[in-house]
Amino acid sequence: MLKCAVCGGPMVGDAGFYTCINKKKHLKKCTNNKMSSANLDRNVLSFVKSTLLDRTHFEKVIASTKKAYQEEIKKTSKDAKRLQKQIVEIDAKIERNMILFERGTIKAEIIEQRIIKLEAEKQEIEETLQNDQNIITAVEIAESELNDKAIKSYIDKFEELLDDSNEDLMRNFLQTFIHKIELHGRENGKRKSRRLVNIHGFIPTLTGITFASPRGVEPLLQDRKS
Ligand SMILES: [Zn+2]
């Protein structure tokens, strides 16, 4: 989960510090510095806490999730309309062939073959259309569940999980929420300087769909000890 932002290698725990594995094992030339693991853990946790437990943040996440849902509904509805139009066209073709059959101008077997082909085509489109309609229904339900009550229940849940007395649970939770942390080197190699930590996370919604936050979050951390 923790990556070196200088060379892209994984960072590993080493006697109270996180160190780039490429640097430690001399696998690659890397200039990144090690960082006190207690310091990084504490900073990441306090950042995640202050971000996650902030109501405005929740509202933003929910608004952007709603927007994504609405776009999905719009896109799928457009596709459903296109499929409905195709079905109407196929029905018209079948109808024309029935007229030809009644007039007896074309052999009955040829007409029959054409109609079988058209019916198969129609069935396939109807299945795709049904799938589209299922997606629309599911997304509409998910969207309706995103309301003020949902925001409150989120905040309550996170508050409970991020309780300091619950360290193991909290760590597990953070691992499902965060998929990557990138640790940058010191600015200009100075000893006392700020270091950038990029945290890339998912926001799990109540419906269990994982949703990537648009840009990830980028706090600047003060590297006090190492
Ligand atoms: Zn590295």
Side-chain angles (χ1 to χ4, degrees):
M1 186 164 71
L2 185 63
K3 294 257 182 226
C4 167
V6 176
C7 72
M11 296 194 80
V12 291
D14 182 21
F17 289 91
Y18 289 123
T19 313
C20 170
I21 199 161
N22 287 330
K23 190 179 181 183
K24 188 186 169 199
K25 297 198 168 172
H26 307 288
L27 297 168
K28 227 195 250 180
K29 220 171 160 56
C30 178
T31 58
N32 209 351
N33 320 86
K34 59 187 180 179
M35 189 180 192
S36 145
S37 43
N39 188 15
L40 184 69
D41 288 355
R42 191 178 56 241
N43 278 289
V44 167
L45 184 64
S46 76
F47 173 78
V48 170
K49 262 176 152 179
S50 64
T51 317
L52 284 181
L53 296 180
D54 177 64
R55 194 177 171 93
T56 321
H57 167 75
F58 266 96
E59 280 165 356
K60 270 192 211 149
V61 168
I62 286 187
S64 72
T65 308
K66 264 186 188 273
K67 205 177 150 210
Y69 282 167
Q70 279 155 6
E71 271 162 21
E72 183 64 39
I73 291 172
K74 211 171 135 190
K75 202 185 87 199
T76 313
S77 302
K78 207 174 146 191
D79 190 55
K81 272 204 188 109
R82 182 182 63 84
L83 296 173
Q84 277 160 346
K85 218 176 126 194
Q86 282 183 1
I87 291 172
V88 170
E89 282 165 9
I90 290 175
D91 281 340
K93 277 185 197 167
I94 292 171
E95 183 64 30
R96 277 201 295 279
N97 278 287
M98 292 303 285
I99 291 167
L100 290 175
F101 173 75
E102 279 161 20
R103 284 186 191 154
T105 42
I106 296 176
K107 270 191 191 164
E109 304 94 84
I110 293 173
I111 301 280
E112 199 184 341
Q113 271 171 10
R114 280 185 193 171
I115 289 176
I116 287 169
K117 211 176 138 230
L118 288 166
E119 291 283 7
E121 223 177 285
K122 185 180 167 182
Q123 200 188 337
E124 206 178 300
I125 294 169
E126 276 172 343
E127 276 163 19
T128 314
L129 180 63
Q130 185 56 53
N131 192 39
D132 274 0
Q133 277 156 351
N134 292 344
I135 291 171
I136 293 169
T137 310
V139 176
E140 276 173 349
I141 291 168
E143 198 208 338
S144 73
E145 282 172 355
L146 291 176
N147 50 31
D148 260 26
K149 221 175 106 198
I151 295 175
K152 207 194 159 288
S153 102
Y154 259 136
I155 294 177
D156 291 348
K157 249 192 245 170
F158 283 126
E159 254 167 6
E160 196 183 311
L161 276 165
L162 296 178
D163 184 337
D164 289 338
S165 62
N166 231 341
E167 222 167 275
D168 284 346
L169 190 63
M170 186 179 69
R171 221 170 264 275
N172 285 342
F173 169 71
L174 285 182
Q175 274 168 5
T176 62
F177 171 72
I178 296 169
H179 72 92
K180 194 168 78 178
I181 300 175
E182 285 172 309
L183 182 60
H184 291 254
R186 290 198 187 96
E187 281 171 358
N188 312 315
K190 278 185 276 179
R191 272 200 75 78
K192 287 268 174 194
S193 66
R194 287 152 76 84
R195 296 178 69 171
L196 182 68
V197 176
N198 291 335
I199 301 174
H200 303 269
F202 297 115
I203 306 289
T205 71
L206 282 182
T207 48
I209 299 165
T210 48
F211 204 82
S213 64
R215 263 160 286 143
V217 280
E218 301 181 348
L220 271 170
L221 298 185
Q222 189 76 43
D223 182 11
R224 293 181 209 100
K225 275 193 197 148
S226 61

